Amino acid sequence: AAAAYAGACTACHGAEGDGNGPAGAALVPKPADFTDAAFWSTRSDADVAKAIKEGGPAVGKSPIMAPFGGQYDDAQIDALVTYLKSLNKG
């Protein structure tokens, strides 16, 4: 999952998951900060998996976030959600 994150997510969400990736700097709204406990307190694993699979608009978030369901299967997406939760500093 770390490799998937590095390949698909770091440009916007940052290597540390703090939402400060190089491509994310110019985005409005800013990419999600996976290190923030407040982010996780308002989302279920299913919400995060749906965002990864279907893209930001599927969960009422940024239309800029692309869907990755064609790139990753459900098991890989579940592993990615687990990895993202490990970035939580809260």
Side-chain angles (χ1 to χ4, degrees), residues 14-39:
E16 303 299 316
D18 58 7
N20 291 317
L27 298 179
V28 177
K30 297 294 285 176
D33 179 352
F34 302 124
T35 68
D36 185 1
F39 171 86

Side-chain angles (χ1 to χ4, degrees), residues 7-51:
C9 311
T10 57
C12 294
H13 292 281
E16 303 299 316
D18 58 7
N20 291 317
L27 298 179
V28 177
K30 297 294 285 176
D33 179 352
F34 302 124
T35 68
D36 185 1
F39 171 86
W40 293 105
S41 71
T42 60
R43 289 161 182 85
S44 69
D45 291 5
D47 294 333
V48 177
K50 183 172 182 163

Side-chain angles (χ1 to χ4, degrees), residues 1 6 9 16-17 30 39 58 61 73 81 86-87 89:
C9 311
E16 303 299 316
K30 297 294 285 176
F39 171 86
K61 299 300 177 187
D73 65 27
V81 171
S86 78
L87 301 175
K89 307 243 188 283

